[in-house]
Amino acid sequence: MDTVSIKQEYEKTEIEKVISNLEADLIGLTPVKSRIREISALLLIDRLRKTVGLTSSNPGLHMSFTGSPGTGKTTVALKMADILYKLGYIKKGHLLTVTRDDLVGQYIGHTAPKTKEVLKKAMGGVLFIDEAYYLYKPDNERDYGSEAIEILLQVMENQRDELVVILAGYKERMDIFYESNPGLASRIANHIHFPDYSAEELLEIGKVMLAEQQYKITREGEDVLLKYIQLRKEQPLFANARSMKNAIDRARMRQANRIFENNSQVPLTKSDLVTLDITDFLQSRVFALPTPEVAKPTSPYGMYSQQLQPGEWGQ
Ligand SMILES: Nc1ncnc2c1ncn2[C@@H]1O[C@H](COP(=O)(O)OP(=O)(O)OP(=O)(O)O)[C@@H](O)[C@H]1O
Ligand SMILES: [Mg+2]
C-alpha cells in the first residue's frame, strides 16, 4: 500500500468525535484547543507513517498545564487521555490524578515504593500530578520530594511509550519549579497555559451549566449574572469556572427556597421549576460587598482551591 487516507484514519480513530466534543463542550480556551489539535495532528500523521512503513519514534508527550484554579485543567486532562488512547498512543487511556502526598512518604525508605506504586497504576494511561511544585521543597534539604522527582524523571525518559505525565499547577509557581528542576522541564515537550476566562466567557459557561441541569434564566437574569461575575472576579478566592458552578448551585437553592416560601398552596408550572429569576442572584453577598482595595492573595492556588467547593467565600 502506498497511499493512505487521513480521512479514513481519522474516522477509524473516532478522534473527530472527541475533538468536536471538546470544541463544543468547552467555552473559550482557544489556545488550549489549538494545541490539542496540533498534538492530535502529529499523532495522526505518525500513525499514517507507520502504515506505510516509515519509521516513527513516539514523540515525547509529557505536558505541563498551567493556569489559575477552575480554568479547566483537569477537564482537559481527561479529554487528552481519551485522545491519546484513541490515537493508540497509550494502551489503557485512564487518567490517574495524584498530589504530593500520593508520591512522597513521611519516613526514609517510604517514598520510592510509594512513587513506584503510583507509576504502576498509571501505566498505560496519563499520570496527572496536580500542584506539582509541592514535590520540591528547597528549604528542606532532606525532603523526600526530590526522591520522587528522580524516579519520575527516569520513567518519563525510559517508558514514554507507556505513560504520559502531565504536571499541573498555578503558573508562577510552576515556572519557579521548572527553573529549579531543569531535568523535568527538559522532558516536557508541551507547555499549555490555561488563561483566565473573561466575564463573557464565564457567562457562557454558566449558561451551558444551567442548560445541562435543565434550568434557564431570563434575559434580565443574564444581565444580573454578568454583573455578579464582574464583581465576583474582583473578590478573593475567585476560581473561574468552578466559581460559576458554585454560584449556580446557590442560585438553585435560593430558587427552591423562594418557590417553597411563596407558593406552597399554588400549583406550580414547569416554567416555575426551571426558571431562575434575578432575585435568586441578587441575594448573593457579592452585591452587598465593597470592592476590595487590596489585591487578591498572591497564590490562592494550592492553599484553597481544593477545599473551596461548598462554602466558597464571597457568596
Ligand atoms: N471552558 C469550560 N467550559 C465549560 N465548563 C468548564 C470549562 N472549564 C471548566 N469548566 C468546568 O468548571 C469546573 C472546574 O474545572 P476543572 O476542574 O477542570 O478546573 P481546574 O483547572 O482543574 O481547577 P483546579 O486548578 O482548581 O484543579 C468543572 O466542573 C468543569 O466542567
Ligand atoms: Mg483540577
Side-chain angles (χ1 to χ4, degrees), residues 94-278:
H94 60 300
L95 180 87
L96 181 66
T97 301
V98 297
T99 57
R100 177 188 160 98
D101 289 349
D102 301 299
L103 298 165
V104 181
Q106 307 241 346
Y107 309 100
I108 195 158
H110 283 195
T111 299
K114 252 183 129 160
T115 303
K116 284 177 185 162
E117 185 61 34
V118 165
L119 287 166
K120 206 167 112 194
K121 277 195 211 148
M123 278 302 156
V126 174
L127 177 63
F128 185 85
I129 308 181
D130 220 349
E131 301 177 75
Y133 29 74
Y134 286 134
L135 285 177
Y136 179 68
K137 297 199 167 160
D139 307 340
N140 183 353
E141 265 173 45
R142 298 208 337 253
D143 185 62
Y144 302 124
S146 44
E147 204 178 327
I149 294 177
E150 281 307 312
I151 299 170
L152 271 173
L153 280 177
Q154 277 173 28
V155 171
M156 285 166 79
E157 186 67 30
N158 301 333
Q159 287 172 274
R160 45 192 192 141
D161 297 353
E162 289 156 85
L163 178 73
V164 170
V165 176
I166 301 181
L167 303 180
Y170 202 54
K171 174 98 169 65
E172 285 73 26
R173 300 186 66 168
M174 287 302 274
D175 287 346
I176 297 170
F177 174 67
Y178 289 131
E179 272 167 34
S180 329
N181 294 277
L184 261 181
S186 67
R187 280 171 182 76
I188 294 172
N190 302 280
H191 288 262
I192 304 184
H193 182 63
F194 290 61
D196 281 355
Y197 295 113
S198 68
E200 289 70 24
E201 285 170 338
L202 288 167
L203 179 63
E204 283 309 306
I205 291 174
K207 281 160 64 180
V208 169
M209 290 174 173
L210 284 168
E212 275 169 2
Q213 302 176 45
Q214 298 191 305
Y215 279 87
K216 59 180 188 196
I217 46 173
T218 55
R219 197 51 272 238
E220 302 81 66
E222 271 184 37
D223 295 341
V224 173
L225 185 52
L226 184 62
K227 185 76 204 158
Y228 168 90
I229 294 166
Q230 286 158 348
L231 292 170
R232 182 65 188 88
K233 267 170 91 72
E234 300 309 312
Q235 301 293 338
L237 307 188
F238 174 67
N240 286 280
R242 176 160 311 120
S243 289
M244 284 315 294
K245 201 160 185 271
N246 295 340
I248 286 168
D249 287 348
R250 282 184 305 274
R252 284 177 51 187
M253 197 139 28
R254 293 191 200 103
Q255 180 237 27
N257 224 18
R258 169 171 59 79
I259 297 178
F260 189 72
E261 306 264 303
N262 300 345
N263 293 312
S264 49
Q265 306 302 323
V266 190
L268 292 166
T269 64
K270 194 169 170 185
S271 162
D272 291 330
L273 294 174
V274 301
T275 310
L276 300 180
D277 79 17
I278 54 172

Side-chain angles (χ1 to χ4, degrees), residues 70 72-75 97 128 130 168 242 301 306:
K73 299 182 293 298
T74 301
T75 310
T97 301
F128 185 85
D130 220 349
R242 176 160 311 120
Y301 189 88
Q306 302 300 336

